[in-house]
């Protein structure tokens, strides 16, 4: 008669504990050429999502960092084009293309917004916005 080692589980805990080395070994296997992650997970007896989670934890993808967050800058609407951006002449056309109507929505905060046509008179728009409480 041969003796076989037996593992006795005395707690109700059903979670397995994976060592860092085991996790690293399985994650490294994912990066092998022609590796199939579902097969690696199946052979280890874990769900594919667990292997993806370990891979995400051990190989984080760094997002490009900016020095500042979102910055709002003032915009000045003028009739003339700046010298910094030269205007390229468009080739002459025989027919006048129809201009599509477009609306501009200005978010004022606190759920308030103003929607105007894109070719509104800028002075008229300024007078309208001066009437809005809290913008002065």
């Amino acid at each position: 008669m041969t003796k076989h080692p037996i593992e006795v589980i005395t707690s109700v805990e059903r979670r397995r504990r994976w060592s860092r080395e085991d996790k690293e070994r399985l994650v490294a296997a994912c990066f092998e050429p022609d590796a199939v992650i579902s097969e690696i997970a199946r052979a280890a007896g874990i769900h594919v999502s667990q292997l993806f989670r370990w891979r995400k934890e051990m190989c984080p993808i760094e997002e490009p960092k900016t020095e500042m967050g979102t910055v709002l800058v003032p915009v000045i609407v003028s009739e003339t084009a700046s010298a910094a951006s030269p205007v390229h002449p468009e080739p002459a056309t025989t027919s006048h293309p129809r201009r599509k109507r477009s609306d501009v929505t200005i978010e004022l905060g606190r759920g308030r917004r103003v929607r105007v046509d894109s070719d509104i008179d800028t002075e008229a728009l300024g007078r309208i916005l001066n009437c809005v409480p809290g913008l002065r």
Side-chain angles (χ1 to χ4, degrees), residues 47-78:
H47 196 271
V48 179
S49 65
Q50 181 68 56
L51 190 53
F52 277 114
R53 186 176 301 120
W54 289 346
R55 192 170 82 168
K56 186 177 181 179
E57 290 170 0
M58 293 183 187
C59 308
I61 299 173
E62 290 188 22
E63 296 291 326
K65 296 181 181 178
T66 58
E67 290 182 21
M68 297 187 321
T70 304
V71 178
L72 298 177
V73 295
V75 176
I76 300 172
V77 179
S78 67

Side-chain angles (χ1 to χ4, degrees), residues 10 22 30 40 93 100-101 119:
T10 58
D22 288 336
C30 294
I40 296 168
T93 59
K100 291 184 179 178
R101 182 177 179 269
D119 38 343

Side-chain angles (χ1 to χ4, degrees), residues 4-66:
H4 298 285
I6 298 174
E7 181 181 1
V8 178
I9 301 174
T10 58
S11 68
V12 249
E13 184 177 1
R14 291 191 167 97
R15 290 185 178 193
R16 289 184 280 176
R17 303 290 179 203
W18 292 87
S19 67
R20 177 84 179 175
E21 293 79 24
D22 288 336
K23 291 179 185 180
E24 288 174 351
R25 180 180 49 80
L26 290 170
V27 168
C30 294
F31 293 107
E32 293 293 321
D34 300 326
V36 179
I37 296 179
S38 61
E39 290 177 5
I40 296 168
R42 192 177 311 116
I46 61 174
H47 196 271
V48 179
S49 65
Q50 181 68 56
L51 190 53
F52 277 114
R53 186 176 301 120
W54 289 346
R55 192 170 82 168
K56 186 177 181 179
E57 290 170 0
M58 293 183 187
C59 308
I61 299 173
E62 290 188 22
E63 296 291 326
K65 296 181 181 178
T66 58

Side-chain angles (χ1 to χ4, degrees), residues 104-121:
V104 176
T105 303
I106 303 169
E107 297 286 338
L108 301 174
R110 290 187 257 155
R112 300 179 302 174
R113 65 177 65 116
V114 175
R115 184 172 290 143
V116 295
D117 190 48
S118 60
D119 38 343
I120 188 172
D121 182 0

